[in-house]
Amino acid sequence: MSMAEYKGKVKNIQDTPFGYTMSVISGKWKMVIIYLLAENQPVRFNDLKRQIGAITYKTLSSQLKELEADGMVKRKEYPQVPPKVEYSLTDKAETLLPVLEQLCEWGIKNQNN
């Protein structure tokens, strides 16, 4: 169903495909995490933290857990000392990448306006 098909019928945004999408990618960091994983996967936790910069370890951990629970991120743990964990995108998340590309194109066209 497209946005046009919901026009005038939306009582609760969470009941729409848009609401579902927003629940998966909403928040300050999830899109950033998805973008960075798309650019460099797999990525270790500390490398992801360094690339993002202004995110706390607790917040990054929580955002990754939410993305993993939503089927967007794969977590691979290696049994070694010190522990090594890598994150990458799932096939489901890969289907979101064309949308990210469109957002980037929109930014290119409108950044200096």
Side-chain angles (χ1 to χ4, degrees):
M1 230 178 198
S2 69
M3 287 174 51
E5 294 175 58
Y6 279 91
K7 191 169 184 163
K9 299 175 187 173
V10 176
K11 292 180 178 52
N12 186 341
I13 193 72
Q14 283 77 25
D15 297 335
T16 66
F18 180 78
Y20 167 75
T21 303
M22 292 308 297
S23 75
V24 172
I25 63 171
S26 66
K28 184 174 180 180
W29 301 109
K30 287 182 181 178
M31 291 291 283
V32 173
I33 292 167
I34 292 169
Y35 178 86
L36 290 172
L37 287 176
E39 292 289 317
N40 315 297
Q41 59 184 332
V43 180
R44 293 180 67 177
F45 183 89
N46 284 332
D47 292 335
L48 200 51
K49 166 75 173 86
R50 268 191 292 281
Q51 289 175 29
I52 296 173
I55 188 172
T56 66
Y57 287 100
K58 180 180 177 181
T59 301
L60 178 56
S61 177
S62 130
Q63 296 287 278
L64 284 165
K65 284 177 185 173
E66 288 178 23
L67 285 166
E68 187 178 10
D70 286 328
M72 301 295 285
V73 168
K74 290 182 277 195
R75 180 181 189 272
K76 185 171 183 183
E77 190 171 339
Y78 296 89
Q80 66 185 54
V81 178
K84 176 182 175 182
V85 178
E86 291 180 338
Y87 294 91
S88 57
L89 296 178
T90 62
D91 291 341
K92 179 180 178 180
E94 295 276 346
T95 64
L96 186 62
L97 298 183
V99 177
L100 285 181
E101 286 294 331
Q102 289 179 336
L103 289 171
C104 288
E105 288 173 23
W106 184 90
I108 290 167
K109 291 177 186 171
N110 294 282
Q111 188 171 23
N112 295 321
N113 292 342

